[in-house]
């Protein structure tokens, strides 16, 4: 079985050495980067399963790295390292797509536990790997090869933008996505209009999917949207 690949991004060599040594001892394949630029290059060369990411880097913000990696690698796990235990900073990181955070100074056993927990949540099942071209959530099926969508076995006609929006939600099912994240992923970073376009297209999707079953696109007030059943909210 392939070992999960972990990318540690931090400009403090002692932290990189400690984290890399411990995680490698516990069976992970390790890679390291000291800057945002090195992190992007490492992620392109060999995409990691999870990134341990410091929020303060010498050439940029770890929050921006988090946002960029989440956009390019929707399934990657991200655990933030921060020296500040401020509520606003934790919220910012989670809103931008981080799965968890650990504040410095941290206990290495706690970090190991959080890394394992995130990997368990994001690990695809064997069935999903066998049918990787088809995304499924509840009774919705999205075929990435045929570019078709079905709900409860019945076809759903979507525009290209509606299809891309649903695909992004399904790739990140259970994760709260901000309007900015959705715009970057669906409309690209070149989009210059208002964020209310996300609300408009969420409404389109809800109406089309809602004719065949209950609403699965939940509003997380103050944060954005998440694909999950109401019973799981």
């Amino acid at each position: 079985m392939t070992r999960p690949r972990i990318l540690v991004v931090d400009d403090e060599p002692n932290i990189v050495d400690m984290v890399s040594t411990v995680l490698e001892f516990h069976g992970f394949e390790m890679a390291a980067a000291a800057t945002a630029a090195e992190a992007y290059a490492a992620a392109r060369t060999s995409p990691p399963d999870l990134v341990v990411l410091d929020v303060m880097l010498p050439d940029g913000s770890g929050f921006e790295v988090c946002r960029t990696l989440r956009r390019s690698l929707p399934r990657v796990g991200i655990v933030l390292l921060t020296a500040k235990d401020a509520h606003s900073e934790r919220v910012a990181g989670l809103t931008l797509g981080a799965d968890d955070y650990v504040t410095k100074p941290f206990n290495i056993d706690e970090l190991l536990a959080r890394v394992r927990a995130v990997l368990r949540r994001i690990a695809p099942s064997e069935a999903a790997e066998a049918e990787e071209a088809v995304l499924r959530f509840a009774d919705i099926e999205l075929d990435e090869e045929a570019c078709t969508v079905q709900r409860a076995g019945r076809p759903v006609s979507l525009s290209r933008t509606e299809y891309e929006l649903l695909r992004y939600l399904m790739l990140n099912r259970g994760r709260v996505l901000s309007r900015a994240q959705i715009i970057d992923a669906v409309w690209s970073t070149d989009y210059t209009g208002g964020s209310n376009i996300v609300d408009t297209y969420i409404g389109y999707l809800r109406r089309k999917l809602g004719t065949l079953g209950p609403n699965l696109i939940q509003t997380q007030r103050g944060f954005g949207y998440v694909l999950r059943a109401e019973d799981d909210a």
Side-chain angles (χ1 to χ4, degrees):
M1 182 178 294
T2 303
R3 295 189 299 165
R5 180 176 175 81
I6 311 294
L7 172 62
V8 181
V9 185
D10 198 304
D11 64 335
E12 297 184 50
N14 60 324
I15 289 181
V16 172
D17 290 344
M18 176 183 65
V19 173
S20 297
T21 299
V22 172
L23 293 186
E24 189 168 25
F25 175 79
H26 284 276
F28 298 103
E29 179 184 342
M30 302 303 301
T35 65
E38 290 179 6
Y40 295 141
R44 285 194 301 270
T45 301
S46 186
D49 297 293
L50 184 141
V51 181
V52 177
L53 173 63
D54 188 17
V55 301
M56 298 184 67
L57 298 172
D59 59 341
S61 166
F63 292 137
E64 179 60 27
V65 175
C66 175
R67 186 173 71 90
T68 301
L69 290 179
R70 175 60 64 217
R71 186 171 65 243
S72 60
L73 300 170
R75 296 181 185 272
V76 72
I78 300 175
V79 176
L80 293 180
L81 297 180
T82 173
K84 300 176 182 178
D85 194 15
H87 175 74
S88 59
E89 190 163 282
R90 298 198 302 270
V91 170
L94 296 174
T95 301
L96 289 171
D99 296 280
D100 208 342
Y101 66 90
V102 177
T103 56
K104 294 181 179 179
F106 57 86
N107 182 293
I108 189 64
D109 291 331
E110 179 188 1
L111 176 62
L112 174 62
R114 289 179 183 271
V115 165
R116 284 173 165 167
V118 171
L119 286 172
R120 282 196 300 269
R121 291 202 301 267
I122 66 176
S125 65
E126 292 182 4
E129 290 178 345
E131 301 179 15
E132 58 184 10
V134 179
L135 302 178
R136 292 184 174 87
F137 180 78
D139 58 352
I140 300 174
E141 292 189 1
L142 184 149
D143 190 323
E144 295 190 272
E145 291 186 352
C147 294
T148 59
V149 173
Q150 292 188 9
R151 181 164 197 189
R154 297 174 61 184
V156 180
S157 178
L158 300 179
S159 69
R160 181 178 182 85
T161 300
E162 292 165 351
Y163 172 89
E164 293 296 338
L165 175 56
L166 178 61
R167 177 179 179 273
Y168 187 60
L169 290 169
M170 293 184 74
L171 285 172
N172 292 277
R173 51 195 174 272
R175 183 192 305 279
V176 178
L177 301 168
S178 68
R179 289 171 179 80
Q181 285 177 278
I182 294 172
I183 286 174
D184 284 349
V186 179
W187 281 268
S188 84
T189 54
D190 296 330
Y191 176 76
T192 57
S195 63
N196 61 341
I197 193 171
V198 175
D199 305 324
T200 299
Y201 273 85
I202 289 289
Y204 294 159
L205 266 184
R206 280 173 169 166
R207 283 194 291 273
K208 290 187 176 182
L209 295 172
T211 61
L212 299 172
N215 176 47
L216 296 175
I217 305 175
Q218 311 298 334
T219 301
Q220 193 80 9
R221 296 195 181 279
F223 293 93
Y225 296 99
V226 56
L227 186 68
R228 66 183 174 210
E230 286 188 347
D231 291 344
D232 298 330

